[in-house]
Amino acid sequence: MTLEVLVRTQEAQQVEKHETTRTEQQPLRECLAQHLDAYFSELDGEVPGTLYKLVIAEIEPPLFEHVLKHTRGNVSRAAEMLGIHRSTLRRKLANYGLI
């Protein structure tokens, strides 16, 4: 690899890292809005039938995974943090195949 190629590669990695950092700092609300705008533009006039279920199914699993990781797998503490009943969390975890 030549020095010029190495420098370009390093610059590209720095740009990519900066873009990733900026995305990570973007509020969830804004990120969701951008993705929904893209989703609606791809529908081309079609009417989505289960948008709520689609969004919840994308948001809940990583939320539950991260909260459980934070609580070291303690479902009772995770449910408390989420503000839902423990049995509700267990049911949702089972539905997503997370337990």
Side-chain angles (χ1 to χ4, degrees):
M1 183 179 290
T2 68
L3 181 59
E4 184 179 2
V5 172
L6 180 61
V7 169
R8 278 195 222 145
T9 303
Q10 288 174 338
E11 288 173 352
Q13 288 172 344
Q14 288 174 345
V15 168
E16 182 179 328
K17 182 179 177 184
H18 177 72
E19 290 297 324
T20 301
T21 302
R22 191 167 53 182
T23 302
E24 290 172 356
Q25 293 174 354
Q26 184 179 21
L28 181 59
R29 176 179 291 216
E30 289 177 20
C31 185
L32 179 60
Q34 287 177 354
H35 285 280
L36 286 173
D37 287 342
Y39 176 76
F40 288 133
S41 69
E42 290 177 12
L43 285 177
D44 195 33
E46 297 278 330
V47 178
T50 59
L51 183 59
Y52 179 78
K53 285 183 179 181
L54 175 71
V55 171
I56 294 302
E58 289 294 317
I59 298 291
E60 280 187 332
L63 172 64
F64 295 156
E65 288 172 341
H66 281 79
V67 171
L68 282 168
K69 182 179 176 184
H70 179 76
T71 63
R72 295 187 174 108
N74 186 319
V75 176
S76 295
R77 284 188 53 220
E80 186 179 341
M81 286 180 69
L82 291 164
I84 61 177
H85 195 274
R86 181 178 51 104
S87 62
T88 301
L89 178 57
R90 290 189 62 78
R91 179 178 41 80
K92 287 177 175 275
L93 291 171
N95 287 344
Y96 291 122
L98 298 175
I99 59 169

